[in-house]
Amino acid sequence: MENGKMNQLITSIRKTYGSFLTSNDNPNGLDRETCIINFHYSDQSPNNTVTTEQTRTTVSTHQSCTSPNSPANSAISIKDKWNFPLSLFLIVFLAGFAAYVYSLVLPEGRSDVSEGLSLSASRELRDVGLDAYLWKKTAKSSEDIGNGWTKHTFDPQNRPTNLRGGENGDRRMAGPICISGTPYSVFSRRGSDPSRLLIFFQGGGACWSNFYHCTVDIDGQEPSFWSSQGGVWDDNNPSNPFRTYNIVYMPYCDGSCWVGDKDVKDFAFPARDKTGGWRYHRGLQNQSAGLNVAKTLFPDVGKITLAGSSAGGIGVSTFAPFLVRFLFGNTIELTVFNDAGPIMFNPSQEDVYLLTQYEWGYKKFIVPSCQRISYFGQFFTWAGIGNEDDAPHNCHTIDLIRWRLDNDSTVRDAFYETDGDTTNRFFLGLLTKQPNDEAIFRELLVNEIGTAVSAHVDRYRRFIVSGDQSHTILQTNHFYEQRVNGVLLTEWTEHFLSFSPLWKDIVGTQ
């Protein structure tokens, strides 16, 4: 190698690394007097010309300096000189750099792998793109609406596109948005305890082709309406476990139980005139946008409770806990309260399951290592219909919950439901007036969900009311009255939040 080219290469390296490698004996950093550089080049190029692609620079210790005659790597060795302070600093620097790179693949705030979401689970979730919308959307406006509440509205980014090649094309929305194409907003309120945050996911049915039973916009979902209903919104009730919490409240309007990430052309959709025939299933975008608001407003909280009613219960039980880990890290205490979200799978509704999986577009976010549980063999035996092979071999909601509990060592879940819930029976196809509909619903409720309890009895527990057909409870004053086996629901919730030994799995008997 010509001396001029070697000097140019050394100068380039000094500019990049030299300031990091200074020491008392070597104040100018990396230089030609220090034996830490090997230049490797190929003898295959014409005239042994050294190119960028043919040159590899390595930082090595004294022992790795090689002789100019070494046949192994055709190395040019610079003067051998041992610099202990420099070498020590180099080791520390490289160790710190390795730690930095390691931290990049972990959720923010992650300090070790002994708590919270595991490294392998985090990688798998990022590989399927679950974090695609985090930090991508911010509210275009924030408005004080009174009583301590602020409304944060997102830009739907309405713009014309020519998706099908037609002369007029179609008008599509690109940002967080309701299924009907109307703008999406979330709400926030500061509480008296800065260390605690309640993130609440609203419910409101579901929509798929030829089945339109979902809330299509956020009208009527403002905090002022729900505050009048009581429940967790009554911060003047001393029995309210969340009365001192900061709150981020997310209305529901995506029609896909918060898991959707797909737009569907549907000219039978009742709101087709507003959308140009589209259904916007933007559940993942909407919740990611709302969680971005939560992180921006309350970055230093120590405890987060994800709570949701009905479809919101599905939302907080599925993707939301992972997104919270990505944003807030593993050091926060994370709890999940599912208020009557129908997380059971009815094997007789396989066609509906496959249709929503396709139309809502969430299958791509189900990690490969999530496997279906073996419960359905018991179910088919109990029901006397078919066999386990009739059930699709997929990762269902309860399977994803178990996978999360397997891979997040500190999250814990509470589940509330009644065993006659007519709303959830309707969505699960168990309100057909068949004599065993209610029995099947209870069987799924007790035994399918019971698999999560059996696998993680310390961190997944239920409060199931028998002989009651009501749906959801957190947003009503019945929250302060409901009892099972003498245990008051508000007290059970307090025990859940504090991880008290008094927090038990409670299933009312028939």
Side-chain angles (χ1 to χ4, degrees):
M1 181 187 295
E2 298 175 3
N3 289 337
K5 292 181 179 178
M6 185 174 71
N7 289 338
Q8 291 176 9
L9 192 54
I10 291 177
T11 300
S12 175
I13 296 169
R14 287 184 64 184
K15 289 181 179 179
T16 305
Y17 300 103
S19 61
F20 297 105
L21 300 176
T22 58
S23 69
N24 292 332
D25 295 329
N26 187 22
N28 296 319
L30 183 64
D31 63 24
R32 296 180 60 183
E33 297 302 315
T34 306
C35 181
I36 59 172
I37 301 297
N38 288 335
F39 299 105
H40 299 260
Y41 59 93
S42 171
D43 290 326
Q44 303 305 312
S45 59
N47 302 318
N48 290 331
T49 301
V50 180
T51 66
T52 302
E53 292 76 19
Q54 295 165 339
T55 303
R56 176 168 59 88
T57 304
T58 61
V59 180
S60 61
T61 63
H62 168 74
Q63 287 82 355
S64 66
C65 294
T66 57
S67 166
N69 300 320
S70 171
N73 52 24
S74 300
I76 296 180
S77 177
I78 307 173
K79 181 179 178 181
D80 189 324
K81 179 179 178 181
W82 177 259
N83 190 322
F84 179 77
L86 173 62
S87 299
L88 180 61
F89 184 88
L90 181 60
I91 292 171
V92 173
F93 171 74
L94 292 177
F97 180 73
Y100 168 73
V101 172
Y102 182 64
S103 69
L104 292 179
V105 298
L106 293 169
E108 183 177 334
R110 184 66 185 257
S111 60
D112 59 74
V113 294
S114 64
E115 61 179 5
L117 189 64
S118 71
L119 173 60
S120 59
S122 176
R123 285 174 172 166
E124 199 169 358
L125 291 163
R126 292 181 188 275
D127 285 346
V128 298
L130 189 64
D131 60 342
Y133 303 110
L134 293 181
W135 299 120
K136 297 295 177 64
K137 305 296 179 182
T138 57
K140 71 171 183 178
S141 66
S142 296
E143 173 189 2
D144 184 347
I145 60 172
N147 296 320
W149 288 99
T150 301
K151 180 179 181 180
H152 310 274
T153 302
F154 299 92
D155 185 358
Q157 299 178 13
N158 188 350
R159 61 172 179 252
T161 60
N162 194 359
L163 295 176
R164 295 178 299 152
E167 180 178 349
N168 297 323
D170 291 296
R171 182 165 289 277
R172 294 281 298 278
M173 311 296 183
I177 200 150
C178 293
I179 189 174
S180 60
T182 54
Y184 184 66
S185 301
V186 301
F187 301 82
S188 66
R189 187 183 72 184
R190 293 193 177 275
S192 59
D193 187 344
S195 69
R196 301 186 180 198
L197 173 63
L198 171 65
I199 303 176
F200 196 95
F201 283 43
Q202 192 54 268
C207 284
W208 54 83
S209 290
N210 301 314
F211 184 94
Y212 309 110
H213 298 274
C214 66
T215 304
V216 298
D217 53 43
I218 68 168
D219 292 347
Q221 298 188 60
E222 293 81 3
S224 58
F225 170 77
W226 292 108
S227 296
S228 66
Q229 307 301 303
V232 297
W233 305 116
D234 184 1
D235 55 359
N236 293 317
N237 192 323
S239 297
N240 180 4
F242 302 103
R243 64 190 179 278
T244 64
Y245 280 53
N246 301 303
I247 299 176
V248 172
Y249 164 63
M250 302 192 200
Y252 170 71
C253 61
D254 62 82
S256 60
C257 300
W258 294 98
V259 301
D261 188 47
K262 188 175 180 181
D263 303 334
V264 177
K265 201 71 172 176
D266 183 358
F267 289 106
F269 180 47
R272 60 189 176 276
D273 293 339
K274 296 180 180 178
T275 67
W278 289 99
R279 297 195 328 255
Y280 295 106
H281 293 299
R282 301 286 181 83
L284 182 63
Q285 279 202 52
N286 291 355
Q287 66 170 295
S288 296
L291 291 172
N292 289 341
V293 169
K295 176 62 175 176
T296 300
L297 294 178
F298 309 106
D300 300 319
V301 293
K303 294 185 178 182
I304 295 179
T305 296
L306 286 165
S309 293
S310 194
I314 295 178
V316 299
S317 298
T318 50
F319 297 154
F322 302 126
L323 300 179
V324 167
R325 285 298 192 205
F326 290 152
L327 285 172
F328 290 87
N330 283 337
T331 58
I332 58 113
E333 182 180 341
L334 177 60
T335 52
V336 177
F337 194 118
N338 178 358
D339 175 22
I343 56 176
M344 301 82 73
F345 169 68
N346 180 4
S348 66
Q349 275 197 315
E350 178 183 353
D351 56 340
V352 174
Y353 167 76
L354 294 175
L355 179 62
T356 56
Q357 186 181 71
Y358 169 75
E359 290 196 340
W360 295 351
Y362 64 85
K363 183 178 180 180
K364 59 182 174 287
F365 300 120
I366 303 300
V367 293
S369 61
C370 179
Q371 301 295 321
R372 181 172 64 83
I373 59 175
S374 60
Y375 157 75
F376 291 106
Q378 306 170 33
F379 172 80
F380 284 116
T381 299
W382 173 85
I385 53 173
N387 56 65
E388 187 173 3
D389 292 334
D390 294 333
H393 291 259
N394 293 291
C395 173
H396 299 294
T397 306
I398 192 64
D399 305 318
L400 184 61
I401 293 171
R402 284 188 57 178
W403 185 90
R404 170 165 55 80
L405 291 164
D406 288 341
N407 289 280
D408 189 323
S409 61
T410 53
V411 68
R412 56 185 185 273
D413 288 44
F415 176 70
Y416 170 85
E417 179 61 294
T418 64
D419 68 359
D421 187 332
T422 54
T423 299
N424 281 345
R425 286 170 56 196
F426 168 71
F427 281 99
L428 290 173
L430 295 172
L431 200 62
T432 62
K433 298 184 179 180
Q434 295 297 320
N436 62 340
D437 274 357
E438 193 166 348
I440 291 176
F441 182 75
R442 181 177 170 91
E443 167 66 19
L444 295 173
L445 182 66
V446 174
N447 291 318
E448 182 184 354
I449 296 179
T451 60
V453 178
S454 299
H456 297 280
V457 67
D458 58 328
R459 293 185 291 122
Y460 193 99
R461 293 172 186 174
R462 301 163 294 179
F463 192 100
I464 296 179
V465 184
S466 181
D468 189 330
Q469 295 186 334
S470 63
H471 178 59
T472 77
I473 200 168
L474 284 181
Q475 301 180 90
T476 72
N477 281 327
H478 195 38
F479 176 55
Y480 301 103
E481 305 164 353
Q482 186 69 279
R483 293 178 182 268
V484 172
N485 299 342
V487 178
L488 194 64
L489 177 58
T490 50
E491 294 178 353
W492 183 83
T493 303
E494 289 275 17
H495 298 324
F496 160 62
L497 295 173
S498 64
F499 209 9
S500 165
L502 297 177
W503 180 47
K504 305 293 184 182
D505 183 55
I506 300 176
V507 178
T509 56
Q510 291 179 305

